[in-house]
Amino acid sequence: MSPEALPPTRRSFLRAGTAAALALTTAGCGFATSDDPAGKATAEAPIDVKVDGDLVYFNWADFVDPSVFEGFQKEYGVKVVQSNYDSMEGMAAKLNAGNRYDIIFPTAKWAERLATGGRLRTIDHSRLRGAEAVFGGYDYFADPWYDPRSAHTVPFTMYKTGIGWRRDRLGDLTGSWEDLWNEKAKGKVFVLDDRDEVLGLGALKLGLGLTTGDRADLDRVTDTLRSLRPRLRGFSSDSYNNLLNGNADMTQAWSGDMAAMLAQAEDPSVFGFEVAREGAPVNSDCYAIPANAQHPGTAMLFIDYMLRPENVKKNIEYIGYPMPVRGTEDTYAALVEPFPQCLVTADDLAADLFFRNGDAAGERARDAAWTDVKAG
Amino acid sequence: MATRSNRTGTALGPPQDPAAPKTPAPDRKRPEGTPGTTARTRQPRLWTWLLLPGTLWMTGFLVASLLLVATLALGTTDPLGNPRFGLNFANLTALADPAYSTVLLRSLGYALITCLISLAVAYPVAYAIALRGGRFKNLLIAAIVVPFFANYLVRMYGWSVVLSDDGPLLRALRAIGLADGDTKILQTGVGVVAGLVYGFVVFMIIPLYAAMERMDTSLIEAGRDLYGGPLRTFLFVTVPATRQGAAAGCVLVFLPAMGDFVSAQLMGGPDQIMIGNLIQDKFFQGQNWPLGSALTMLLMAVLFLGMLGYLRRTRKDEAEAAR
């Protein structure tokens, strides 16, 4: 595995630049409606699993080992036409604008939005040879909240949110979100530049629902976070670089980024990664085939190819995120040996601390709370 | 520069006017009795046709998208977070939240300081190149403009690495005793303004350079002949002669600086957040496009007031020049 190949900051660096997607979509914006009965019928039609054209692939940049692409292209004699997004919002905007892709990789929350909106093809798991290792090995995904019976999705990667810190500067921590208030780290603490993650840590610390949209709850959350604000150095999703270049003594961080950091650090022992006992948000990406995909058959073959154990292992080593495929756990455990908390276990999934979609009023309240926290 | 495209408000500013006051009015200079009435009648029609592509472009991409933003400010979102047009004023009333005015004022402050610093930096640079550059003029201008071709976001990201606590700069300063363990550059207001100046100073240099290039240097000689010292000549001849270039530069720097979010994102901390960051959040965190649009309209309203002042000023200048 080459460390440079890791996508350290897939959720962070380009966030600032995600505007590009917007420009394109607002210019030609259709604000496509999701309630299209004809589209619904196609979405439910079974997919004929055979090569039906080149694969139009849409994912985070650098999120599949290039050698896996090469193997797929050679075996099936098709080309993989790649394009990338740098945020879920950007992805959704392009789909809404009518762009056609064969395979996309939404997070759980976005999978639910797209599936309920009739934007995804149903996927017949019995046509995928690797499906048993996924759904048999991780029964959570057999019937996840975001997509009943995983009818439109196959899980891809998983991650948790915790705290990364400089062991050499702070010593040991206590394993609680309270650690972010640590006196020694004052002024060198970052939280992620992410509404759900930041409101979520406040809610978990207070024992409230992770994605509460209740105003009284949110008031308590913002009060708690306001007491953290003077100690913060910033809101940044670049947790990996902030720790490496000394800006942060401690930062809220995604487990996958911490795994990537391990590969880059000269001396990994100066870093630590913990998840809080009050609860660690967990999340997952999945494979999905948009309803307007032109080559759904090739997309099915691609999922099948990606689920082969040797390819799963290659990808795990390449991107640093664990995948719910039975028999590949050791590969990931070896990769994150210094940070065992990066592992995402069946128990973590069962705790079910996923960020969920709220109703419109709740989303507005969360939005206002986030502005309060961020703008001070 | 696609990365800066969601600052609809500011990106629109620069192409509009600053150049206009500088274009001489050709008719005025034409002697009264010029023959060739046919040429004169045909010419306006030709100009109209030449304007067409630009007009279509502006209508399609500027006016239409502006209208889209303006109408969306009254919209709502559906359960999937997709924007829906509508007629509700909740987004506009939400702007009363004091958080927005604080951040807006901070952005104004940063943009003004950026303008002043850019002016102070750009004036000597433009002066040196235009009046002392000799045959290296074009090379020097290229040296200033070429780095600008690299994406602003990427360059700022580079700076955030260079200026980080354990980065090369602070490590060197610490080694020679000019900084201690607590000194930091990132996540300070100084860092953000420095980033803005770095990003936009070239917009100040170019119009100033153009103004100085065009300036008749015999004016300076005349000033000296009339017993003006170097300082007095500079203050009473050079500065007034290049005032319009400076004004155009200020507009070109102020508008993008005001709507910028990259600098505050990469160089700023919680207390340096700018209005651009909040707008970006509305579009990308929780997908509240309607509220984001309302904020964009607020920013544009503020910028428009500023532009109005500038336009009145230049009109007065023109009127004076014409007299």
Side-chain angles (χ1 to χ4, degrees):
Chain A
M1 178 187 66
S2 71
E4 307 91 291
L6 288 163
T9 55
R10 66 159 185 160
R11 284 157 206 280
S12 47
F13 169 43
L14 283 167
R15 281 236 162 153
T18 30
L22 252 188
L24 290 172
T25 45
T26 38
C29 204
F31 294 130
T33 50
S34 44
D35 30 53
D36 162 20
K40 198 99 189 163
T42 355
E44 277 159 19
I47 297 173
D48 200 2
V49 184
K50 62 165 181 24
V51 173
D52 51 8
D54 290 343
L55 181 77
V56 186
Y57 162 101
F58 196 35
N59 195 358
W60 302 100
D62 214 9
F63 222 51
V64 165
D65 187 323
S67 73
V68 175
F69 282 134
E70 276 164 34
F72 178 72
Q73 299 189 123
K74 206 176 275 173
E75 183 164 333
Y76 290 98
V78 292
K79 267 210 294 229
V80 177
V81 183
Q82 281 206 50
S83 44
N84 302 123
Y85 47 79
D86 36 38
S87 71
M88 278 293 127
E89 290 79 1
M91 178 208 68
K94 289 215 175 149
L95 280 182
N96 282 343
N99 293 10
R100 304 179 83 160
Y101 305 98
D102 297 328
I103 187 138
I104 57 172
F105 298 77
T107 60
K109 181 173 163 171
W110 283 88
E112 184 187 43
R113 288 188 182 192
L114 294 170
T116 51
R119 300 293 184 77
L120 302 178
R121 294 289 295 254
T122 46
I123 291 177
D124 180 359
H125 299 152
S126 67
R127 306 299 302 271
L128 300 169
R129 280 165 292 180
E132 208 283 322
V134 175
F135 298 106
Y138 290 77
D139 53 0
Y140 182 87
F141 290 108
D143 189 23
W145 62 274
Y146 57 82
D147 183 22
R149 289 170 289 103
S150 275
H152 307 85
T153 56
V154 176
F156 177 50
T157 63
M158 310 177 286
Y159 57 93
K160 289 191 290 191
T161 312
I163 298 175
W165 83 98
R166 293 283 297 247
R167 211 180 268 282
D168 58 334
R169 294 192 189 154
L170 303 175
D172 287 335
L173 299 186
T174 67
S176 159
W177 287 116
E178 189 72 43
D179 286 334
L180 290 171
W181 279 258
N182 186 323
E183 270 311 316
K184 275 198 277 182
K186 194 173 179 184
K188 298 203 93 174
V189 179
F190 284 85
V191 290
L192 293 166
D193 190 5
D194 184 293
R195 184 193 74 173
D196 287 342
E197 293 286 3
V198 174
L199 295 181
L201 90 85
L204 288 170
K205 184 165 178 281
L206 291 167
L208 301 168
L210 179 65
T211 24
T212 177
D214 178 78
R215 274 181 199 274
D217 282 358
L218 285 170
D219 282 346
R220 291 180 58 202
V221 170
T222 44
D223 280 347
T224 302
L225 293 170
R226 209 166 281 140
S227 73
L228 178 61
R229 210 170 173 282
R231 298 159 172 274
L232 284 186
R233 179 145 182 203
F235 297 90
S236 166
S237 299
D238 201 1
S239 51
Y240 156 115
N241 275 316
N242 285 328
L243 282 173
L244 279 179
N245 64 22
N247 290 348
D249 280 357
M250 194 193 299
T251 176
Q252 191 186 17
W254 285 302
S255 57
D257 281 355
M258 293 296 102
M261 185 180 73
L262 278 179
Q264 289 267 300
E266 281 166 36
D267 176 9
S269 72
V270 306
F271 300 103
F273 176 70
E274 65 170 19
V275 292
R277 72 178 89 86
E278 297 94 338
V282 64
N283 217 330
S284 64
D285 292 341
C286 54
Y287 303 93
I289 303 174
N292 64 355
Q294 282 172 302
H295 317 113
T298 310
M300 285 293 281
L301 290 172
F302 181 72
I303 298 175
D304 185 65
Y305 187 80
M306 289 280 283
L307 290 179
R308 292 183 194 172
E310 67 273 20
N311 292 335
V312 174
K313 285 180 189 163
K314 268 192 206 168
N315 279 329
I316 286 176
E317 290 186 338
Y318 185 78
I319 65 179
Y321 281 76
M323 298 178 184
V325 179
R326 191 177 48 213
T328 62
E329 292 85 355
D330 291 348
T331 309
Y332 190 68
L335 192 70
V336 293
E337 196 259 314
F339 290 170
Q341 304 257 40
C342 283
L343 294 171
V344 181
T345 62
D347 286 347
D348 290 324
L349 294 168
D352 214 20
L353 287 172
F354 275 85
F355 294 111
R356 303 205 178 198
N357 292 302
D359 56 23
E363 287 291 317
R364 260 202 308 281
R366 291 176 66 72
D367 221 41
W370 173 235
T371 303
D372 273 356
V373 170
K374 206 166 172 191
Chain B
M1 288 285 119
T3 49
R4 293 198 263 125
S5 49
N6 92 332
R7 296 168 316 156
T8 341
T10 55
L12 309 179
Q16 284 174 355
D17 213 75
K22 284 181 293 188
T23 38
D27 287 342
R28 233 180 8 244
K29 286 191 182 149
R30 198 177 292 155
E32 285 302 308
T34 314
T37 18
T38 45
R40 218 190 284 171
T41 46
R42 198 180 291 159
Q43 224 175 12
R45 198 175 299 159
L46 179 68
W47 284 115
T48 320
W49 283 109
L50 286 179
L51 274 175
L52 195 66
T55 314
L56 285 179
W57 180 268
M58 292 294 258
T59 324
F61 290 98
L62 202 150
V63 179
S65 57
L66 253 183
L67 281 177
L68 203 61
V69 173
T71 28
L72 201 54
L74 300 176
T76 52
T77 50
D78 73 0
L80 297 182
N82 297 319
R84 287 273 173 271
F85 291 108
L87 191 64
N88 88 62
F89 295 89
N91 300 314
L92 300 181
T93 48
L95 298 182
D97 186 333
Y100 297 128
S101 47
T102 317
V103 173
L104 198 61
L105 282 177
R106 181 188 298 142
S107 307
L108 265 175
Y110 282 171
L112 283 174
I113 298 170
T114 302
C115 240
L116 293 177
I117 297 178
S118 297
L119 192 59
V121 171
Y123 207 92
V125 172
Y127 188 91
I129 296 177
L131 300 179
R132 298 279 181 273
R135 64 201 169 90
F136 296 113
K137 258 189 216 175
N138 290 335
L139 192 70
L140 290 169
I141 283 295
I144 285 172
V145 173
V146 167
F148 201 71
F149 293 165
N151 188 298
Y152 172 57
L153 178 71
V154 173
R155 285 179 295 141
M156 292 300 279
Y157 198 77
W159 274 115
S160 78
V161 173
V162 172
L163 301 177
S164 63
D165 286 12
D166 287 348
L169 180 72
L170 278 175
R171 223 184 285 176
L173 288 179
R174 252 180 253 133
I176 56 170
L178 283 177
D180 60 30
D182 291 333
T183 315
K184 58 176 191 173
I185 301 170
L186 290 183
Q187 282 82 41
T188 61
V190 173
V192 175
V193 172
L196 292 173
V197 170
Y198 169 77
F200 303 118
V201 72
V202 68
F203 290 138
M204 186 71 90
I205 296 178
I206 298 301
L208 273 175
Y209 169 77
M212 288 173 187
E213 259 279 74
R214 234 186 3 250
M215 186 176 74
D216 189 350
T217 43
S218 54
L219 285 178
I220 298 180
E221 285 159 25
R224 302 301 286 273
D225 283 349
L226 296 168
Y227 300 102
L231 186 67
R232 277 167 59 94
T233 315
F234 177 74
L235 286 180
F236 293 103
V237 177
T238 317
V239 170
T242 54
R243 200 182 54 198
Q244 288 201 351
C250 282
V251 172
L252 288 179
V253 170
F254 181 81
L255 293 178
M258 177 80 192
D260 185 72
F261 65 89
V262 174
S263 185
Q265 172 109 10
L266 293 175
M267 320 287 259
D271 294 325
Q272 281 84 42
I273 284 168
M274 294 177 69
I275 193 74
N277 299 81
L278 289 185
I279 294 177
Q280 195 225 3
D281 264 6
K282 296 301 160 208
F283 283 94
F284 290 101
Q285 308 250 3
Q287 277 222 312
N288 199 342
W289 289 24
L291 185 52
S293 304
L295 265 178
T296 307
M297 297 313 290
L298 175 69
L299 173 61
M300 288 193 59
V302 171
L303 292 176
F304 183 72
L305 287 179
M307 274 307 283
L308 219 58
Y310 169 76
L311 289 178
R312 286 180 55 169
R313 175 82 231 197
T314 48
R315 187 141 9 109
K316 231 166 80 186
D317 275 1
E318 256 181 27
E320 264 169 38
R323 224 185 292 153

